[in-house]
Amino acid sequence: MPNFALSDQVFADAAARFPTPFHLYDEAGIRERARRLKAAFAWCPDFREYFAVKALPNPAILRVLGEEGCGLDCSSATELMLAERCGFRDEGIMFSANAMPPSEFDLARSLGAYINLDDLSDIDLLAAHGGIPACVCLRYNPGGDFSIGNTIMGNPGEAKYGMPADQLLRGLLRLKELGAERFGLHAFLSSNTMAASYYPELAGILLRLGRDLAEKTGLGFAFINLSGGIGIPYEPGQAEVDIQAVGKAIREIYARECPRGDVAIKSELGRWMTGPCGWLVTRAVHEKKIHRDYIGVDACAVDLMRPAMYGAYHHITVCGKADQPLDHVYDVTGCLCENNDKFAIQRALPEIRVGDLLVIHDTGAHGYAMGYNYNGRLRSAEILRTADGDFRMIRRAETPEDYFATLRF
Ligand SMILES: *Cc1c(COP(=O)(O)O)cnc(C)c1O
């Protein structure tokens, strides 16, 4: 099920204080998920989550996750700068980029971050830009389809990321020449997956591969990085991934593949950490009846792009109408001059009147962050519902001045 942890009254109270549209994030919920993840891996001597900054790049959220013991997974200079401004450095940062400007290696190295290399050519680039650290992580791409049992979970053969096993071996030998002593292995093979077996399967693959590479190179095998990819239930009727069971299944594989217990585990979850703890709060501003019934709202795809980009489902509720029958069928739209700017298509909802408050669920990851300025539309504010139940604006809405700031007349 989508996350119904906050009552309609909370959204109504927030909308009484701040103009719509805005994303509302639940600090208590985010802390609870961080603790649940940590508990699931409490058996692992050196487990750490590196929150994928791209999912929700707001300092207030990053600090909350830092307080819960998480590090940050960054993939650009700006994300590294954001991490630094929030007090993260050294082993608190993982830098996983691809096809990036070499200066980003200099910055990541100056912060002491773990470096996750995407390609063989990155090795000499890193040597020239910041130098080779004692411990380097490499990104693995097995190619082909990635299946668990009979189910295809992903298609690494078409993915631009990572290196095949033979290149990992060549890369590690080169890194050893350049002074590296230990290595980590990273892979991201399936996105938004609801299969509880994904992380355990991946852990087994990386542990076996790493052991083999350590034997062949004489380098120490420091950690596996399971990256992101665990999904959340966007749709009613979908069950949540049982993270405790995921941790338990990995524990069994770990005991078998790594009896010495000397390889750490890292994760870089984005969606699972914050996705269910965000809601886009928007007001119905227009009603139109032509070949279909349309409800226009004051948010649009610049605030939440996933439905337009992927046809993604986001659950929608209407504040104060939880008990009313879903006896109307609407397309819920934004104002962009793009017909894919629809938060819902032919969705059964209660009768909606102009002025009603709509809550679009599960926008806490890859929501605001994917925004853009098409049609000169300006992105919304972000509001944090603090653990004590208060509201705090953690990003103001954009103004025309922001839009004009980069233009030269
Ligand atoms: C996007 C990304 C993540 C987070 O993915 P989720 O699907 O949000 O869990 C983690 N690591 C890397 C390298 C990524 O690119």
Side-chain angles (χ1 to χ4, degrees):
M1 285 297 277
N3 186 358
F4 291 96
L6 300 188
S7 69
D8 281 357
Q9 193 57 49
V10 172
F11 299 114
D13 289 348
R17 277 200 37 201
F18 303 98
T20 56
F22 53 83
H23 287 268
L24 181 74
Y25 306 122
D26 179 25
E27 177 183 346
I30 292 172
R31 286 188 189 277
E32 189 271 329
R33 294 182 80 81
R35 286 172 199 181
R36 221 176 336 138
L37 179 68
K38 214 164 148 183
F41 286 89
W43 56 268
C44 181
D46 192 12
F47 170 79
R48 193 168 189 189
E49 152 74 1
Y50 291 76
F51 176 67
V53 172
K54 72 168 191 241
L56 183 46
N58 187 296
I61 304 294
L62 303 181
R63 288 204 182 101
V64 162
L65 289 166
E67 286 167 15
E68 296 298 333
C70 300
L72 297 182
D73 168 38
C74 301
S75 52
S76 65
T78 5
E79 288 184 357
L80 285 168
M81 289 155 72
L82 191 55
E84 186 185 19
R85 285 279 296 271
C86 294
F88 293 83
R89 56 174 303 123
D90 297 323
E91 63 279 2
I93 304 177
M94 185 78 65
F95 181 64
S96 288
N98 65 92
M100 65 289 154
S103 60
E104 297 191 349
F105 277 148
D106 291 300
L107 179 55
R109 287 287 287 130
S110 74
L111 293 174
Y114 281 119
I115 311 281
N116 183 25
L117 297 180
D118 185 68
D119 183 45
L120 275 182
S121 63
D122 288 341
I123 294 172
D124 288 316
L125 214 56
L126 178 62
H129 290 271
I132 302 293
C135 182
V136 188
C137 188
L138 298 182
R139 188 162 181 169
Y140 174 47
N141 183 331
D145 284 331
F146 173 63
S147 308
I148 299 179
N150 292 323
T151 313
I152 295 182
M153 312 286 300
N155 189 214
E158 289 179 7
K160 67 173 179 170
Y161 309 107
M163 293 167 256
D166 61 317
Q167 291 190 8
L168 291 179
L169 177 59
R170 278 169 57 201
L172 286 174
L173 291 170
R174 175 74 183 138
L175 284 163
K176 192 178 178 187
E177 270 172 24
L178 293 170
E181 292 158 13
R182 299 185 308 142
F183 70 94
L185 277 187
H186 169 284
F188 190 155
L189 305 182
S190 184
S191 187
N192 191 22
T193 177
M194 301 305 285
S197 52
Y198 168 59
Y199 249 34
E201 191 86 11
L202 179 61
I205 291 171
L206 293 180
L207 284 171
R208 284 188 290 276
L209 178 63
R211 205 174 47 196
D212 180 51
L213 289 168
E215 258 169 43
K216 286 180 174 148
T217 61
L219 287 166
F221 183 21
F223 63 84
I224 57 171
N225 182 342
L226 300 175
S227 186
I230 297 185
I232 58 169
Y234 286 101
E235 300 191 32
Q238 270 184 311
E240 221 198 339
V241 174
D242 179 348
I243 204 73
Q244 194 65 35
V246 169
K248 188 161 172 281
I250 295 180
R251 183 178 196 170
E252 283 160 22
I253 288 164
Y254 187 92
R256 202 162 61 233
E257 303 292 345
C258 185
R260 291 220 305 269
D262 54 356
V263 177
I265 299 180
K266 323 274 187 202
S267 61
E268 299 172 342
L269 295 171
R271 191 187 315 273
W272 189 88
M273 291 297 288
T274 56
C277 301
W279 296 262
L280 176 56
V281 181
T282 181
R283 214 174 272 286
V285 291
H286 192 245
E287 181 177 14
K288 175 171 184 172
K289 291 177 192 277
I290 48 170
H291 309 292
R292 289 182 178 181
D293 289 359
Y294 292 95
I295 293 294
V297 295
D298 57 8
C300 66
V302 306
D303 304 302
L304 177 67
M305 198 179 184
R306 297 187 70 258
M309 190 164 175
Y310 309 117
Y313 182 96
H314 279 267
H315 199 62
I316 296 180
T317 50
V318 184
C319 261
K321 297 192 171 176
D323 298 331
Q324 294 192 13
L326 309 180
D327 56 0
H328 285 64
V329 174
Y330 296 110
D331 282 15
V332 177
T333 79
C335 55
L336 294 187
C337 302
E338 267 289 346
N339 196 43
N340 66 359
D341 183 18
K342 295 183 175 184
F343 292 118
I345 296 174
Q346 295 294 280
R347 182 84 56 91
L349 288 163
E351 181 173 26
I352 296 173
R353 301 223 183 262
V354 167
D356 279 354
L357 208 54
L358 273 65
V359 177
I360 304 178
H361 291 244
D362 303 305
T363 68
H366 313 296
Y368 180 94
M370 286 173 93
Y372 59 120
N373 284 122
Y374 197 55
N375 265 171
R377 291 294 167 193
L378 304 172
R379 276 168 288 184
S380 74
E382 295 183 296
I383 310 293
L384 182 68
R385 181 176 191 257
T386 57
D388 60 9
D390 200 1
F391 299 113
R392 185 152 66 86
M393 190 191 295
I394 56 174
R395 188 197 296 265
R396 65 163 171 79
E398 286 178 335
T399 65
E401 287 69 36
D402 297 314
Y403 184 88
F404 280 88
T406 53
L407 297 174
R408 296 290 174 262
F409 285 90

